[in-house]
Amino acid sequence: RGAEKKQNPPPPPTLPSAAGKSSNMAFVKVLKNKAYFKRFQVKPRRRREGKTDYRARRKMVRQDKNKFNNKKYRMVVRFTNRRCICQIMYSTIRGDMIVAQASSHELEKFGIPAGYKNYAAAYCTGLLVARRVLKKFGLDETFKGKEEVDGSDYHVEDEENDKRPFKCILDVGLQTTAAGHRMWGALKGAVDGGLHIPHNNKKFPGFKASEEKGAEAEYDADAHKEKIFGGCVKDYMEMLAEEDPTKYEAHFSKYIGADIDGEKIEDMYTEAHEKIRADPDYEMTEKKGITHAREAEKITSSDGTDHVRFNKLTLEQRRAKVAMKIAKAQEMLMAVDADDAEDE
């Protein structure tokens, strides 16, 4: 009559694994479930495209309510593969409104035949947009900026004047604010042109931080001046002319066509600065007046050129085109099957 021994419960059933052996099943936590996707909110379009840093933009655009919707101006500097673009704009709920703009491609009329994305061209573009916006607001005679370009520090707000200078903040977008970057050339040009842009010289070429704690940093204005007047371009031109004349003629063909060599680079930029200050107005390009006549898919232009432009098909036309291709393929397969049957 002894107590019956308790038997252990049978082990849980096992399922065969991919390798054919049995293994215990494990619970997997679902991290992105239905609730996650129901609450997911996509980022703004320009954030998805990697074009706008909205955290930086909010700081630049934000305006105090007690300023009664006063415009907060920004100087936007952007670089493409071929040119430098500077724009003065302010933000509204409808979008950014551009007050003035300048592109380094406009420097051709000021005597600069090529090199529209280097440091010297960025300085000229910043100077051009500064003089252009000041002239638009009638401040060009009041704030003339720094007419003698020597690379030294200049702040228009330090000068005594009855009016306050035109103030804007620098907007560099997604560019890395590295020391000696071309964006600082555009900034320096705009500041020398008479705009009030809060800045310091820590990122300018020629700045050297102090090695010891408590010591003063060094700023070489001559080194910055050399960059403004294209000193690096001059050195490269002279070196290439001596070592590889063939490459020099191919690389600097536009300079050679304009009769400009390494020794004339500084004079070229000096004259460009003077011309920009004398007449910064934008000139509209004249329209060529070319007309186009279309017959079906062929376009004939008045200048004697021909182009082919295909018409966009409608949905019904695309479906009919696909159906015709399918029918043609089926006919070819049936013809092949018929030939095989005859051979047999």
Side-chain angles (χ1 to χ4, degrees):
R1 293 182 180 182
E4 296 182 356
K5 295 182 180 181
K6 293 183 179 181
Q7 296 181 354
N8 294 328
T14 57
L15 296 176
S17 62
K21 299 179 181 179
S22 62
S23 61
N24 295 329
M25 293 184 63
F27 291 101
V28 179
K29 184 179 180 181
V30 180
L31 296 178
K32 294 184 178 180
N33 51 15
K34 184 178 179 181
Y36 168 83
F37 288 106
K38 286 176 67 176
R39 290 162 176 80
F40 182 79
Q41 185 176 2
V42 297
K43 300 292 182 183
R45 177 181 59 84
R46 291 184 63 87
R47 171 62 186 88
R48 299 196 305 269
E49 296 174 353
K51 293 181 179 180
T52 300
D53 181 1
Y54 280 96
R55 183 179 181 186
R57 178 179 171 82
R58 279 194 298 269
K59 292 181 179 179
M60 289 186 292
V61 168
R62 186 182 295 119
Q63 181 68 291
D64 298 334
K65 285 188 176 180
N66 59 2
K67 294 187 178 179
F68 300 101
N69 200 25
N70 280 344
K71 298 177 177 65
K72 191 173 184 181
Y73 294 99
R74 311 194 320 271
M75 176 184 172
V76 180
V77 180
R78 297 291 185 270
F79 288 91
T80 68
N81 290 335
R82 295 189 176 184
R83 60 177 176 163
C84 168
I85 304 171
C86 296
Q87 297 174 333
I88 305 296
M89 63 176 63
Y90 63 92
S91 179
T92 66
I93 197 170
R94 292 195 306 150
D96 289 344
M97 303 297 172
I98 298 176
V99 178
Q101 68 87 28
S103 172
S104 58
H105 277 178
E106 300 178 45
L107 300 178
E108 185 176 0
K109 73 173 185 177
F110 298 109
I112 301 176
Y116 297 137
K117 61 174 185 177
N118 55 28
Y119 195 93
Y123 179 90
C124 294
T125 310
L127 178 64
L128 178 60
V129 73
R131 300 311 302 169
R132 187 170 286 173
V133 71
L134 289 177
K135 187 172 183 179
K136 181 174 183 178
F137 288 112
L139 300 172
D140 54 334
E141 296 296 332
T142 307
F143 302 100
K144 298 194 179 221
K146 189 175 181 61
E147 297 182 355
E148 181 183 357
V149 181
D150 54 4
S152 59
D153 280 340
Y154 174 75
H155 298 274
V156 68
E157 63 271 17
D158 295 339
E159 297 180 354
E160 294 182 1
N161 204 304
D162 296 337
K163 295 182 179 180
R164 288 182 296 177
F166 185 89
K167 181 180 178 181
C168 55
I169 56 178
L170 182 66
D171 182 349
V172 298
L174 300 177
Q175 301 173 93
T176 304
T177 54
H181 197 281
R182 294 170 295 173
M183 70 178 76
W184 309 124
L187 168 65
K188 182 61 175 171
V191 169
D192 288 353
L195 296 185
H196 173 201
I197 304 178
H199 72 284
N200 54 41
N201 59 10
K202 290 184 179 180
K203 297 288 187 178
F204 286 169
F207 179 84
K208 185 178 180 182
S210 59
E211 297 179 356
E212 298 180 1
K213 188 176 181 180
E216 293 185 359
E218 298 178 2
Y219 175 62
D220 187 3
D222 293 334
H224 196 183
K225 178 183 176 181
E226 185 178 1
K227 292 279 289 184
I228 291 172
F229 286 99
C232 54
V233 179
K234 173 187 174 183
D235 296 340
Y236 184 62
M237 288 180 71
E238 293 176 350
M239 181 271 293
L240 207 60
E242 293 179 2
E243 297 183 0
D244 193 349
T246 305
K247 186 177 179 181
Y248 168 76
E249 293 177 359
H251 198 72
F252 294 100
S253 59
K254 290 189 177 180
Y255 286 101
I256 295 172
D259 194 19
I260 297 173
D261 55 6
E263 296 179 355
K264 297 180 181 179
I265 288 290
E266 185 173 349
D267 296 336
M268 178 188 69
Y269 284 113
T270 303
E271 294 176 3
H273 297 164
E274 295 174 357
K275 292 178 181 178
I276 288 172
R277 289 182 176 276
D279 183 17
D281 292 334
Y282 177 74
E283 294 182 1
M284 296 288 292
T285 56
E286 296 181 0
K287 294 184 178 180
K288 297 180 180 179
I290 300 175
T291 57
H292 308 279
R294 181 163 189 162
E295 294 181 5
E297 297 178 351
K298 184 179 180 181
I299 298 176
T300 305
S301 303
S302 59
D303 59 349
T305 59
D306 296 332
H307 309 280
V308 177
R309 297 290 183 269
F310 296 102
N311 292 324
K312 186 176 180 180
L313 300 179
T314 62
L315 179 61
E316 291 77 9
Q317 290 174 336
R318 292 198 302 271
R319 286 177 175 174
K321 189 176 180 181
V322 172
M324 185 175 63
K325 288 183 178 180
I326 294 173
K328 188 175 181 180
Q330 289 175 347
E331 290 177 2
M332 292 177 63
L333 290 174
M334 292 177 66
V336 172
D337 292 342
D339 294 341
D340 294 342
E342 291 177 359
D343 295 339
E344 291 178 358

